[in-house]
Amino acid sequence: MSESRRWRAILCGLLALGGWAAAVADTVQVGSKRFTESYILGEVVRQTLVQAGVAASHQQGLGNTGILEQALASGAVDVYPEYTGTIVREILKREGNPTLAELNQWLAPRGLKAAVPLGFNNTYALALRESVAEKLGLKTLSDLARLPAGALKLGLSHEFQVRADGWPALQRAYGLALSPGAALDHGLAYDAVQAGQVDLIDIYSTDAKVGRYALRVLVDDRHFFPRYDAVLLMRSTLDSRPLEQLAGRIDERAMVALNATVELDGVSFADAAQRFLAAGTAPAPARQGFAARLWAPDLWRLLAQHLGLVFGSLLLALVVGVPIGIWAWARPRWAGGLIGAVGVLQTVPSLALLAFLIALLGMIGFWPAMLALFVYALLPIVRNTHAGLAGVPQGLTLASRALGLKATQTLWAVQLPLALPVLLAGAKTAAVINVGTATVAAFIGAGGLGERIVAGLAVNDSALMLAGALPAALLALGVQWGFDVLERRLQPSMQPGMQPGMQPGVPR
């Protein structure tokens, strides 16, 4: 290829990359929290934008308010459905029920705005089985104040236990002696209370399962909870005009019906949103079986994201971990402490590590997730690099030095080839572990097969969870098999000192 043609090819590649980056930058990123209603509303927003000719992508189930707030601040998300009470108390750390205009005055310094009031109030409430409420004579939240600490077993959600408008403030406001106990995912709470595993749970007033499970919702007789009017919280630079058609379109009855369509009828978030936007004229989608969920169109996208996380982190761990292992092997006095320090990193809980990296990088998504997986992949690679080099017979090293090879030449020509089987075993261990660990990345919008697991957990849909878990398990087996094949193919070339064309054990 001539020099001019080479530069033209490079220029075309850069222009194509620039066009792709611009297309990504022009795509509106819609976020949602990790519960049914937020998933549905996020999908309604995405489809509304697409129908208006605006490119949009939905990052599902990103977690709690703090993560979405960080995502808005960093630009990883442009808009997501939120509630006025949450904005006031959790994000702004204020009190009261301000008007939308007042709310936007408070949000303006943060570069945010609230727009498109959707038309319903989804307040918090506490509920318990009707039989338990009748037995204890409970009708209001004030009635709970006369119960001793162990009278009821609570199953409160993780976020409700720590929110400014959640359990701690509610307990003080009503003088409750009850203990919150271990936190429970909101998607599992209804089945837990129905089975009698817990007695009292926090709910949303638009939850579809309240009537189906015959629960008594306790009256907030002191009006502790503020209004939670559904709005769209967005970056101030986002044009909200394509979304204005949603203003006032969803009342509480409509939202309950949408939640029921997903939670009780097994319809996907996208199909429920599509039917709503078609004003009910689209045919009701049938409940999907396991095979349909497993082979849904998003499978290949999720697989590609999962593989990107696993092998991106593995490559980075090899680039960093192999030199560390070599350095530790060359300096035996430091080896124990260094490998021990790397091992300590692997003991950090995955969610804690993700939270730390989000704060450190100021973003959510692929990079914090990949760096977290890199940390977990580091120990097997460092340890096996050290162990493989330490297992090389000393006689071979002395023989190569006697032939005039320098230390670096001996390392590359003799010691590393002999250590390669052990090093590959470490890489295989790291890759297989990261296939499973990468499912946690869905909590921060990094995609992957964990998206299905998290979404299934939100609606307590075991088929959807299995549709994510099964491909992840098969992927782990496939990765292990791939490394086994690689080890067998490299086996003939693992003998040191061989020249091209030589076969192992055959003299030239």
Side-chain angles (χ1 to χ4, degrees), residues 236-302:
S236 58
T237 54
L238 182 67
D239 184 3
S240 63
R241 287 176 296 179
L243 297 169
E244 292 295 341
Q245 59 183 292
L246 294 174
R249 190 170 168 184
I250 310 175
D251 59 18
E252 290 189 23
R253 180 176 297 181
M255 195 66 247
V256 170
L258 278 170
N259 288 333
T261 300
V262 172
E263 293 185 350
L264 304 180
D265 300 332
V267 175
S268 70
F269 305 121
D271 286 343
Q274 182 180 17
R275 180 168 170 77
F276 167 76
L277 291 174
T281 58
R287 186 182 184 94
Q288 291 182 317
F290 173 71
R293 291 169 184 247
L294 178 63
W295 296 104
D298 66 348
L299 176 61
W300 307 114
R301 172 182 65 83
L302 298 177

Side-chain angles (χ1 to χ4, degrees), residues 218-422:
L218 299 179
V219 175
D220 181 15
D221 50 314
R222 295 187 183 178
H223 307 289
F224 168 79
F225 293 114
R227 286 191 62 83
Y228 292 88
D229 293 307
V231 295
L232 299 182
L233 183 61
M234 62 189 74
R235 293 171 64 84
S236 58
T237 54
L238 182 67
D239 184 3
S240 63
R241 287 176 296 179
L243 297 169
E244 292 295 341
Q245 59 183 292
L246 294 174
R249 190 170 168 184
I250 310 175
D251 59 18
E252 290 189 23
R253 180 176 297 181
M255 195 66 247
V256 170
L258 278 170
N259 288 333
T261 300
V262 172
E263 293 185 350
L264 304 180
D265 300 332
V267 175
S268 70
F269 305 121
D271 286 343
Q274 182 180 17
R275 180 168 170 77
F276 167 76
L277 291 174
T281 58
R287 186 182 184 94
Q288 291 182 317
F290 173 71
R293 291 169 184 247
L294 178 63
W295 296 104
D298 66 348
L299 176 61
W300 307 114
R301 172 182 65 83
L302 298 177
L303 274 173
Q305 292 172 341
H306 210 94
L307 286 170
L309 287 168
V310 170
F311 286 103
S313 60
L314 180 63
L315 179 62
L316 184 59
L318 285 169
V319 169
V320 175
V322 171
I324 292 177
I326 293 173
W327 192 90
W329 163 75
R331 295 163 179 80
R333 291 178 57 186
W334 297 92
L338 184 60
I339 295 176
V342 174
V344 169
L345 292 176
Q346 201 169 30
T347 65
V348 179
S350 56
L351 290 178
L353 183 58
L354 286 172
F356 171 76
L357 289 171
I358 289 172
L360 180 66
L361 300 178
M363 66 174 70
I364 64 169
F366 177 82
W367 291 108
M370 196 195 74
L371 288 177
L373 294 174
F374 153 73
V375 170
Y376 292 127
L378 204 54
L379 178 61
I381 291 172
V382 171
R383 185 173 55 196
N384 280 42
T385 300
H386 176 271
L389 290 170
V392 175
Q394 185 68 18
L396 290 176
T397 300
L398 294 175
S400 63
R401 298 301 297 274
L403 291 173
L405 294 180
K406 297 179 180 179
T408 304
Q409 293 174 318
T410 301
L411 176 66
W412 285 101
V414 178
Q415 292 161 328
L416 278 178
L418 288 172
L420 189 57
V422 181

Side-chain angles (χ1 to χ4, degrees), residues 52-124:
V54 179
S57 175
H58 183 193
Q59 299 190 40
Q60 299 183 358
L62 294 183
N64 60 17
T65 305
I67 291 179
L68 266 301
E69 182 186 1
Q70 179 67 47
L72 278 179
S74 67
V77 164
D78 297 302
V79 57
Y80 79 96
E82 189 53 280
Y83 306 90
T84 54
T86 301
I87 296 172
V88 172
R89 294 200 178 187
E90 281 295 294
I91 297 177
L92 297 171
K93 311 299 182 186
R94 292 175 177 250
E95 298 291 335
N97 291 302
T99 65
L100 195 60
E102 292 173 328
L103 192 58
N104 280 321
Q105 287 181 356
W106 297 347
L107 288 170
R110 297 170 177 257
L112 303 176
K113 64 181 178 182
V116 194
L118 298 175
F120 69 93
N121 171 37
N122 183 13
T123 188
Y124 268 116

